[in-house]
Amino acid sequence: MAIALVSAMLAAAMPCEVLSADGGTPGDGDDVVLIDEDFNRATEGEPDNVTYTGSIDDITATQGWTTTAMGSSKGAYVFAPTIAAVTLTTPPLQIGSNAPLKLSLTMAEYNNERYYTDGDVTISMITTDGSVAGSMGVELTYAGYKQYDVAFAAPLPAAVERVMISYGNGGSNRKLFLDQLTITQAADASVEAVTADKRKAWVSGPREITLNGQHARVYDTAGRCVYEGGAAATTLTVEQAVVIAEVDGVIVKLKL
């Protein structure tokens, strides 16, 4: 029933006008903060005298973090590998699959009164069964504390619920100091009423959708056409809270 109504709406909606295809930078006002940790509960330890005792829950505002090796300095979690890389994993988060997962990490590589560059940090998405659903590397490019912003593109793999940070120092004595970790995702991103098994349109950012096919039309809920044209990895910025995309005959209702 719902699909028939949508199809009728699509057939009646003409003419079509382009709405900022590949234009503009989506705002992040609708992002939801999934976790925002500054490790300010860590009140002991210094950069050259790291504290290795205690529990990760002692220094985090949210309970449920896990780590393979505890380390802290005032206001920071410290990765201090010996042989194997050290990992830090967030508590379970309410992560959706239909919007990019954005991470902001403020961190620095340090040892013996000196900051370093060229260190490598790995960010991974972890599913409910503990497997790695996807990873990306971050290279430290500044000798000191710097904010590094990364994102996993939508659609995300299903069942992602945690984020894991991993750092190995290549056998040196360097350590990684993580001062701040913020993870956000677009609010209320969802996909409904897909008319075929293969989805060809999805929420790719706040007020942003991506189309992938040969030809597409996008409509608001009043039936007005807001885009018609090519759809090969086309990104649209939309102001509507709900749009209906038809790509190569596949109809998707997208809630942003």
Side-chain angles (χ1 to χ4, degrees):
M1 182 65 175
I3 292 175
L5 291 174
V6 171
S7 299
M9 181 186 297
L10 297 180
M14 290 295 286
C16 213
E17 299 178 356
V18 176
L19 178 67
S20 60
D22 294 318
T25 300
D28 58 3
D30 293 324
D31 280 10
V32 170
V33 177
L34 302 180
I35 201 158
D36 189 21
E37 181 57 64
D38 58 15
F39 304 102
N40 281 346
R41 293 182 65 187
T43 58
E44 297 182 0
E46 300 290 342
D48 288 310
N49 187 21
V50 173
T51 298
Y52 298 106
T53 58
S55 165
I56 184 64
D57 284 338
D58 295 337
I59 68 168
T60 55
T62 304
Q63 303 296 288
W65 294 75
T66 58
T67 180
T68 56
M70 182 59 191
S72 66
S73 179
K74 290 178 182 176
Y77 172 80
V78 183
F79 297 76
T82 52
I83 299 175
V86 172
T87 64
L88 175 67
T89 306
T90 68
L93 306 173
Q94 294 296 318
I95 299 173
S97 62
N98 301 304
L101 189 65
K102 303 176 184 179
L103 298 94
S104 176
L105 306 96
T106 301
M107 51 190 175
E109 192 178 42
Y110 175 91
N111 183 55
N112 195 22
E113 300 183 350
R114 179 183 172 186
Y115 289 100
Y116 292 85
T117 60
D118 301 327
D120 292 314
V121 179
T122 301
I123 314 296
S124 302
M125 296 182 292
I126 308 298
T127 63
T128 52
D129 65 3
S131 61
V132 175
S135 298
M136 68 172 64
V138 179
E139 181 181 355
L140 302 182
T141 58
Y142 178 73
Y145 279 98
K146 178 183 175 180
Q147 178 178 309
Y148 297 85
D149 296 319
V150 298
F152 289 97
L156 303 179
V160 172
E161 72 165 7
R162 298 173 184 257
V163 171
M164 182 176 73
I165 304 164
S166 177
Y167 167 78
N169 58 14
S172 69
N173 291 320
R174 299 180 188 181
K175 303 173 181 66
L176 178 72
F177 290 72
L178 179 61
D179 179 70
Q180 178 89 27
L181 172 64
T182 304
I183 303 176
T184 60
Q185 193 174 40
D188 297 326
S190 65
V191 177
E192 303 173 6
V194 182
T195 61
D197 290 339
K198 185 174 182 180
R199 189 172 68 211
K200 294 193 172 186
W202 58 87
V203 177
S204 52
R207 300 301 183 199
E208 177 185 279
I209 62 172
T210 294
L211 315 170
N212 196 4
Q214 297 298 313
H215 183 266
R217 294 187 181 96
V218 178
Y219 303 85
D220 63 19
T221 52
R224 291 183 292 266
C225 186
V226 294
Y227 174 79
E228 179 176 19
T234 297
T235 299
L236 303 179
T237 302
V238 297
E239 296 302 324
Q240 295 84 356
V242 180
V243 296
I244 299 164
E246 183 266 329
V247 184
D248 299 343
V250 177
I251 300 169
V252 181
K253 182 179 179 182
L254 300 159
K255 185 197 302 183
L256 286 84

